[in-house]
Structure formats: structure tokens, C-alpha cells
């Protein structure tokens, strides 16, 4: 039985790198994969971009209104080789409905789906897409990284113009304009958050 996997982690935990490695492993065995990327993630344009410098073109850029199940079916019909796996980058940006459609790819088409993404945003609130993936996934795996202090990093902190911020829109793409993200442990996250609000008082 095919399964839906959600592999989540803080920024810099190697999610895009891992996805590209999985794609390479399938293709090295002569199997075909389909790589999806939400178009709202404009970093890299139509490419997946790893912080290690590795890049790979996405097969499909997914709009919020795209029926992902239908897109996978159409890809199957357009190729003679069977589809071995669907791989999804930046999956937190899928809509809840698209998360359900990816789940149904495993149920009705019997194709494994592996999604990589964030669990929460910079204010520790869940993205609608990742929340639905966490609810539906057969298997949930955490990808780990570390804070500068050496503890396990589970939080993403937004930095704008070199300063940490804890207010703003949920979506601001990494490395666009003055926006950057830093992964931190909860202790460091809340220390910076307290300092942010103390400076405003």
C-alpha cells in the first residue's frame, strides 16, 4: 500500500537536499518521479534550491487552485513509464485541499507521496497545508538541525534587515528582499522574542 509521508523540520534541516537525493535514488534505479513545488515559493523560480548549492528543476509548479490529484493523473497519462513516487518541496504552502488530494494519490492511484516542509511559521503557528498533512500522513518524520547554542532547533525566526521580528504576514519568502530565516531552539527563540517586545515598550 502506498503511503503519504510528511518529513518536516526547521529551516536548514536539509529538506530540499534530502528530496533531491531521494529523486536521484529512484532515477538511478530507472524509476520515474514527479517533483512538485508550490508556485508561491518564488525562491529559485522553477527550481528547488538547497542551501548546499544543489539545484533541480521542479516538474510542476502548483498554483493554489491546482487540483494536484488531477495533475498527477495527467502526468501518468502523458508518460509510458509508470510513476514511482511523487516528491513535494515546500509543502507547507499547499492548501489543505491539496494536502487531501496528495493523500488520495496514495489511496486511489497507489503512488507513494513524500512531502517536505515546515511544521510552523516564524510565530510558531501552523501553516494550513502542513497542519492538514500532519493530520493525514501515514508516516511523520522529523528532520533535525541545531541552534547556534548547540541545542536542537525546532523554531524558525524571521530576520528582516538583520533584525529579528516576531510580527508580520505568515508568508515571506526566505532570501527575498531583506528576509532571512534562522533556526533556533525554543530557549533562544523566546529570549529573542522577549527582547523584541522589550525594545518596543
Amino acid at each position: 500500500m502506498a503511503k503519504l509521508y510528511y518529513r518536516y523540520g526547521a529551516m536548514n534541516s536539509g529538506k530540499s537536499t534530502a528530496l533531491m537525493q531521494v529523486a536521484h535514488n529512484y532515477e538511478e534505479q530507472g524509476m520515474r518521479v514527479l517533483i512538485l513545488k508550490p508556485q508561491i515559493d518564488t525562491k529559485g523560480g522553477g527550481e528547488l534550491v538547497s542551501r548546499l548549492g544543489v539545484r533541480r528543476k521542479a516538474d510542476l509548479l502548483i498554483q493554489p487552485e491546482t487540483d494536484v490529484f488531477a495533475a498527477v493523473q495527467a502526468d501518468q497519462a502523458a508518460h509510458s513509464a509508470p510513476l514511482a513516487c511523487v516528491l513535494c518541496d515546500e509543502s507547507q504552502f499547499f492548501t489543505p485541499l491539496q494536502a487531501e488530494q496528495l493523500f488520495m494519490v496514495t489511496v486511489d492511484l497507489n503512488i507513494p507521496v513524500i512531502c517536505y516542509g515546515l511544521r510552523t511559521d516564524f510565530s510558531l503557528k501552523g501553516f494550513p497545508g502542513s497542519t492538514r498533512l500532519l493530520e493525514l500522513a501515514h508516516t511523520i518524520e522529523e528532520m533535525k538541525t541545531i541552534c547556534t547554542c548547540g541545542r536542537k532547533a525546532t523554531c524558525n525566526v524571521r530576520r528582516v534587515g538583520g533584525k529579528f521580528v516576531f510580527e508580520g504576514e505568515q508568508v515571506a519568502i526566505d532570501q527575498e528582499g531583506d528576509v532571512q530565516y534562522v533556526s533556533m531552539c525554543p530557549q533562544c527563540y523566546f529570549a529573542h522574542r522577549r527582547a523584541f517586545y522589550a525594545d518596543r515598550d
Side-chain angles (χ1 to χ4, degrees):
M1 183 186 75
K3 293 183 179 181
L4 171 63
Y5 298 82
Y6 191 47
R7 297 176 178 168
Y8 73 89
M11 301 292 290
N12 209 28
S13 59
K15 298 181 293 297
S16 296
T17 303
L19 185 157
M20 287 185 267
Q21 181 64 57
V22 169
H24 172 77
N25 292 346
Y26 272 104
E27 291 167 344
E28 199 170 41
Q29 301 303 319
M31 300 178 185
R32 192 171 69 82
V33 299
L34 180 68
I35 299 178
L36 310 182
K37 175 184 174 181
Q39 189 151 22
I40 191 173
D41 178 40
T42 51
K43 182 177 69 177
E47 292 185 318
L48 283 63
V49 180
S50 162
R51 288 172 185 253
L52 293 180
V54 183
R55 304 174 76 97
R56 176 175 174 142
K57 187 176 183 297
D59 296 308
L60 291 176
L61 294 177
I62 304 299
Q63 301 273 7
E65 63 275 11
T66 301
D67 184 327
V68 180
F69 185 91
V72 174
Q73 274 190 316
D75 178 84
Q76 276 191 306
H79 294 85
S80 56
L83 186 56
C85 188
V86 176
L87 299 168
C88 305
D89 197 33
E90 303 293 351
S91 299
Q92 71 274 6
F93 294 137
F94 288 124
T95 68
L97 177 58
Q98 288 170 333
E100 293 169 15
Q101 292 164 352
L102 288 167
F103 179 71
M104 295 309 297
V105 166
T106 71
V107 174
D108 287 345
L109 304 182
N110 199 35
I111 299 171
V113 177
I114 307 176
C115 294
Y116 295 81
L118 302 173
R119 181 177 59 170
T120 58
D121 64 15
F122 75 110
S123 61
L124 303 185
K125 294 177 182 174
F127 289 92
S130 55
T131 298
R132 194 70 180 122
L133 286 167
L134 288 165
E135 292 167 345
L136 292 172
H138 297 92
T139 301
I140 299 167
E141 302 169 5
E142 182 182 17
M143 300 183 67
K144 298 178 177 66
T145 189
I146 59 169
C147 180
T148 55
C149 72
R151 298 185 187 97
K152 186 175 88 167
T154 59
C155 307
N156 305 298
V157 188
R158 181 181 292 171
R159 189 162 55 195
V160 179
K163 296 182 179 180
F164 292 117
V165 298
F166 294 85
E167 295 178 351
E169 296 294 324
Q170 184 173 54
V171 177
I173 303 302
D174 186 38
Q175 297 177 21
E176 286 201 347
D178 290 329
V179 176
Q180 292 180 309
Y181 289 92
V182 179
S183 51
M184 287 185 184
C185 68
Q187 288 86 349
C188 291
Y189 175 91
F190 282 102
H192 283 287
R193 186 161 129 168
R194 291 186 194 103
F196 172 80
Y197 285 109
D199 288 343
R200 299 181 49 156
D201 290 342

